[in-house]
Amino acid sequence: MNVFVEWLVEHPLLLLFLVSTIGYYLGEIRVGNTGLGVAAVLFVGLAFGALDARISLPPELVSLGLVLFVYSIGLASGPGFFASFSRSGLRDNMMVAAVLLIAAAIVAVEAVALGLKSTIAAGIYTGALTNTPALAQVLNFVTHSALRDAGPAVATEPVVGYSVAYPLGVIGPILAILLMQRVWRIDYKKDAEQVRDMFPIEQEIYNRTARVANPAVIGASLRALSRQRGWRVVFGRVKHGDKVELAIDDLILHEGDLISVIGAPEDVDRVVHELGELASEQLDVDRSAYDFRRVFVSNPDLVGRKLADLDLPHRFGAIVTRVRRGDIELLAHGDLVLELGDRVRFVAPRDQMRAISQYFGDSYKKLSEINLGTLGLGLALGLLVGMIPISLPGGLQFKLGEAGGPLLVALVLSALRRTGPVVWSMPYSANLTIRQLGLTVLLAGIGIRSGYTFLSTMTQTGGFTILLAGAVVSIVTPLLALWIGYRWLKLPFGVLTGVVSAVHTQPAVQAAALAQARNDLPNHGYALAFPMATITKILLAQVLVALLPYMT
């Protein structure tokens, strides 16, 4: 065993890949529909870290994992984040702040009831909510306050509370999510339908051909009918007599016309009924005059532009009916904004197929290349923003740090999509690869770093009391957030799991949430709540040190 430990101490990169590999395969094990996913890497890291105090990863490597993870989430979530604020984002963030305030009140009651020092109580708060930036600010506050006169041990006390409470700060939220999804019998797919207009989600799309027979729609244009009746579908081709043409917005409907309707089943069925009746002939299988093809968007000049702005009907005599983003099929409405890596399905005259393919780019090789210039610039801007000290009344000060700065910058850049010739977004596949790489390195580093401290503290007097106090916060906080969000605010459960991940600032919880939801809604919830959660925890942790008594 000693030889093995020395081996791990001397070769941190080998340690990283051992932990990552074992964690990956353990995370693939599912009991029913439940599994940890990549979050298992953290628990494997805890086991390896407990072997010896010297086993660790270079802190810069762990920081790199954190920065890559939060930045990639921000790039993927920016538009949805700002769109949510135009609806209920402010309300949802107030809920996050309220839950964290209740968590601080619980810690304060525990400190008084159990006779805990204010420094340890603040450490429990930051550990139970797994927030390292908040711990760093507590340590800074302690070393620059009157508490520093209590002796050298005072600077280590917050770390003790943090390290003991931290593991359950990871396990508690995961258990809460698994428990409540069973209690409420969550159907993630049905749940996601609530926000399909706000966030891109996976949905079934099919094509039906309608025969125009309703007098109320005859003589009206598709544009006018779609606005008046709130149709959420896309029209492909129309057949008037023996002539087939594209169903553009200005098309006037005539009795007996055949028109293809594309969308979600419930929406298509409704539109077919309102147009007239379902036709036996399927226009989409007729490729004599018009053909269809899927191509990649690899042309950077098109990124960040709405489909309607491309004016494809007049430029090429073509229309786009669907856009595939990752594994998600989206309807090609005119206000859909294109991103690198999108696969657009268009209908066009056969002689325009090559020209349109070249217009979109359709280069898989180009999409496989990451623009290191924009990635590096975005990360540098994020790190600089994270270094800016923000002062508040009462002498409190905080920084967004390596997590908050890159996330905030990525959210803004993602919403902008481009600045002149600079395209900030990256292809979906590249974003996912960077996200997974960053998350794996981060989880391994956190687990390895916390393993030995957790084990040694638990063997000391008072360790169980701290563990119990942290466990209460780690379990009550996510349960409270889930109950308020789902039962009171009626938020989709998938979004809420991301909010819980942000409340605990915990990528492992986020990984478990993604494994359960099997869609991107947890990422949107995480990006929505993370800035507010980070700032609130940094402030409240320092308030606990300042207001609670320091008992010797």
Side-chain angles (χ1 to χ4, degrees):
M1 177 61 75
N2 289 336
V3 175
F4 180 64
V5 168
E6 292 297 328
W7 198 41
L8 295 177
V9 171
E10 295 174 5
H11 301 90
L13 283 181
L14 178 62
L15 169 66
L16 169 63
F17 290 116
L18 277 175
V19 170
S20 302
T21 302
I22 297 172
Y24 172 81
Y25 285 109
L26 287 178
E28 289 293 293
I29 300 173
R30 301 185 72 85
V31 179
N33 292 322
T34 302
L36 288 176
V38 72
V41 173
L42 179 122
F43 299 107
V44 175
L46 283 170
F48 272 76
L51 296 175
D52 193 284
R54 297 171 297 158
I55 295 178
S56 65
L57 294 181
E60 293 82 6
L61 184 61
V62 182
S63 295
L64 176 63
L66 171 63
V67 169
L68 290 177
F69 173 68
V70 297
Y71 187 77
S72 60
I73 282 185
L75 282 185
S77 307
F81 171 78
F82 291 105
S84 68
F85 263 92
S86 65
R87 295 177 173 91
S88 60
L90 181 60
R91 179 201 66 181
D92 299 342
N93 272 278
M94 290 301 100
M95 182 268 287
V96 170
V99 167
L100 290 171
L101 185 60
I102 293 172
I106 293 173
V107 171
V109 171
E110 290 175 332
V112 174
L114 300 175
L116 299 173
K117 296 179 179 180
S118 60
T119 48
I120 291 180
I124 291 172
Y125 183 76
T126 59
L129 299 174
T130 65
N131 191 275
T132 305
L135 173 67
Q137 290 306 117
V138 167
L139 295 173
N140 181 69
F141 182 86
V142 168
T143 55
H144 292 86
S145 69
L147 288 173
R148 66 180 182 273
D149 298 330
V154 72
T156 64
E157 289 166 350
V159 179
V160 171
Y162 173 90
S163 60
V164 174
Y166 190 99
L168 284 179
V170 178
I171 298 172
I174 294 176
L175 292 178
I177 291 171
L178 296 178
L179 172 65
M180 298 317 296
Q181 76 178 18
R182 286 186 176 274
V183 170
W184 290 330
R185 298 179 180 178
I186 298 298
D187 182 340
Y188 282 101
K189 187 174 181 180
K190 183 178 179 182
D191 197 50
E193 287 294 320
Q194 299 179 39
V195 288
R196 69 173 180 169
D197 291 334
M198 186 185 303
F199 303 117
I201 62 169
E202 186 176 2
Q203 57 183 312
E204 180 185 356
I205 294 179
Y206 74 8
N207 190 326
R208 293 292 183 270
T209 300
R211 186 183 304 277
V212 178
N214 182 359
V217 303
I218 295 173
S221 70
L222 288 178
R223 187 195 309 275
L225 289 170
S226 296
R227 288 178 178 174
Q228 294 167 6
R229 296 172 178 263
W231 289 345
R232 298 191 298 180
V233 297
V234 170
F235 299 97
R237 304 173 224 198
V238 63
K239 185 176 183 181
H240 181 66
D242 294 328
K243 182 180 180 182
V244 177
E245 57 186 348
L246 296 180
I248 60 176
D249 287 342
D250 295 328
L251 177 76
I252 304 298
L253 295 178
H254 300 86
E255 184 175 4
D257 282 352
L258 299 181
I259 184 168
S260 58
V261 186
I262 307 158
E266 63 274 16
D267 294 330
V268 171
D269 293 343
R270 174 196 160 204
V271 172
V272 169
H273 176 72
E274 293 184 10
L275 286 172
E277 60 185 8
L278 183 66
S280 58
E281 182 179 351
Q282 278 291 97
L283 290 181
D284 59 305
V285 300
D286 181 3
R287 306 178 72 168
S288 57
Y290 290 91
D291 204 351
F292 63 86
R293 182 181 294 177
R294 280 192 186 270
V295 296
F296 285 105
V297 177
S298 61
N299 181 358
D301 294 335
L302 304 185
V303 175
R305 297 178 63 181
K306 295 180 179 180
L307 276 175
D309 296 338
L310 303 185
D311 198 22
L312 295 177
H314 295 99
R315 180 175 295 184
F316 297 106
I319 59 172
V320 175
T321 58
R322 311 181 196 192
V323 175
R324 190 165 185 82
R325 184 167 296 163
D327 291 333
I328 300 173
E329 193 89 348
L330 305 172
L331 276 181
H333 293 294
D335 59 354
L336 179 69
V337 179
L338 293 176
E339 296 183 5
L340 279 175
D342 284 349
R343 292 188 67 198
V344 299
R345 173 169 167 163
F346 64 87
V347 181
R350 299 178 68 87
D351 60 357
Q352 292 289 340
M353 304 301 283
R354 179 182 293 273
I356 298 173
S357 298
Q358 292 175 346
Y359 178 68
F360 282 107
D362 198 28
S363 172
Y364 184 74
K365 178 180 179 297
K366 195 170 184 179
L367 291 174
S368 302
E369 300 170 352
I370 298 174
N371 189 327
L372 295 177
T374 56
L375 175 63
L377 179 59
L379 289 172
L381 289 173
L383 291 171
L384 288 173
V385 169
M387 295 176 187
I388 299 174
I390 302 173
S391 299
L392 295 172
L396 299 180
Q397 189 178 83
F398 74 96
K399 299 177 183 178
L400 292 177
E402 294 174 343
L407 177 66
L408 183 62
V409 168
L411 288 170
V412 174
L413 295 181
S414 176
L416 292 175
R417 287 190 171 90
R418 65 185 306 141
T419 304
V422 179
V423 177
W424 298 109
S425 60
M426 66 175 67
Y428 179 88
S429 57
N431 184 296
L432 192 61
T433 300
I434 290 176
R435 188 187 313 170
Q436 288 292 94
L437 176 63
L439 178 59
T440 301
V441 173
L442 175 61
L443 292 179
I446 290 174
I448 294 168
R449 179 182 63 192
S450 306
Y452 191 81
T453 305
F454 172 74
L455 181 65
S456 59
T457 306
M458 283 302 299
T459 59
Q460 299 173 5
T461 303
F464 183 76
T465 301
I466 297 174
L467 180 68
L468 182 62
V472 172
V473 179
S474 298
I475 294 173
V476 171
T477 303
L479 288 176
L480 188 61
L482 290 171
W483 186 85
I484 294 174
Y486 191 73
R487 289 298 193 189
W488 189 14
L489 302 182
K490 306 299 182 184
L491 290 172
F493 195 82
V495 173
L496 270 175
T497 59
V499 171
V500 167
S501 305
V503 165
H504 284 262
T505 324
Q506 188 42 252
V509 180
Q510 179 72 351
L514 288 167
Q516 297 304 308
R518 299 188 180 183
N519 59 41
D520 276 347
L521 286 188
N523 283 337
H524 296 296
Y526 186 91
L528 169 67
F530 184 88
M532 173 63 77
T534 299
I535 293 170
T536 304
K537 284 184 285 187
I538 288 173
L539 293 177
L540 290 178
Q542 294 174 86
V543 168
L544 287 172
V545 179
L547 298 184
L548 288 176
Y550 182 78
M551 302 175 185
T552 57

